[in-house]
Amino acid sequence: RLTGQRQEINNLMQRKNAVEEENACLKNEFSTLNQKFKDKSQELKDTEECAQKKEEQNRLVIKNLEEENKGLNTCCADLLSDLEKLRKQEAQWKMEKSGNDAIIKNLKTDLAEAREQIEELRSICGNLSSQVAVRQEELFQKDCVVIKAK
């Protein structure tokens, strides 16, 4: 019976050793898995922080772009307003130019007519000058006759 008990104790000791070895292996595996879990948790935390930073940067970029867009929209509205004013001014200038062109055309016509009248008057003046010269010559001849007669 003692031999049976020793055999049982040996079997139990072997089982105990096997269980302790398995326990040690499981502890190592648990330790390894726990470290991997910690590493993955830290990685997840770092990734979440990075994502939050990126999200905040994106919000700032979006805010800046919205402000820039607002400014550009205001600038665009001002430019459209200026363009409308310039178009109205252009239409007014075209009307004024059309009126001025008509005035210039009339003035050119008047100038051409005035030049013709000047040429006619020069011709008349030339004729009158010739007549005056003839009359003066006649007067001179008559004066000579009167002087001789005296």
Side-chain angles (χ1 to χ4, degrees):
R1 179 169 181 214
L2 199 59
T3 310
Q5 284 179 345
R6 275 194 190 152
Q7 185 63 37
E8 197 177 323
I9 288 173
N10 280 342
N11 287 342
L12 287 173
M13 287 300 282
Q14 284 177 357
R15 265 183 48 203
K16 178 188 169 212
N17 287 338
V19 166
E20 283 178 352
E21 279 181 34
E22 187 180 345
N23 200 10
C25 283
L26 287 173
K27 279 184 180 180
N28 281 340
E29 191 177 334
F30 174 76
S31 177
T32 302
L33 288 173
N34 198 29
Q35 187 60 46
K36 284 182 180 179
F37 175 75
K38 287 179 182 176
D39 292 345
K40 290 293 179 183
S41 293
Q42 185 61 45
E43 190 179 324
L44 177 63
K45 184 180 175 186
D46 294 345
T47 302
E48 286 174 345
E49 286 177 3
C50 184
Q52 281 181 340
K53 287 179 184 176
K54 288 280 186 192
E55 203 172 302
E56 184 60 31
Q57 287 175 347
N58 287 342
R59 274 195 286 270
L60 286 173
V61 167
I62 288 170
K63 182 181 176 187
N64 289 339
L65 287 174
E66 285 173 347
E67 288 178 14
E68 185 178 345
N69 191 35
K70 189 177 178 181
L72 290 173
N73 284 338
T74 301
C75 183
C76 192
D78 291 345
L79 289 172
L80 286 173
S81 174
D82 291 348
L83 178 63
E84 188 58 32
K85 288 177 188 173
L86 289 172
R87 284 184 176 158
K88 287 179 183 177
Q89 193 174 26
E90 178 189 26
Q92 181 182 348
W93 286 348
K94 282 183 178 179
M95 285 176 41
E96 289 176 6
K97 184 184 180 300
S98 176
N100 289 340
D101 288 347
I103 291 170
I104 289 170
K105 184 178 177 184
N106 290 338
L107 288 173
K108 284 182 179 179
T109 303
D110 291 349
L111 179 62
E113 290 173 2
R115 283 184 175 153
E116 287 179 22
Q117 288 177 355
I118 287 171
E119 286 305 314
E120 289 175 18
L121 291 173
R122 280 186 180 154
S123 175
I124 292 170
C125 197
N127 289 339
L128 289 174
S129 291
S130 295
Q131 289 176 10
V132 165
V134 168
R135 300 281 181 205
Q136 282 179 337
E137 184 60 34
E138 288 175 0
L139 270 173
F140 180 73
Q141 295 298 327
K142 287 182 181 181
D143 279 346
C144 285
V145 168
V146 168
I147 291 171
K148 284 183 184 179
K150 284 184 177 179

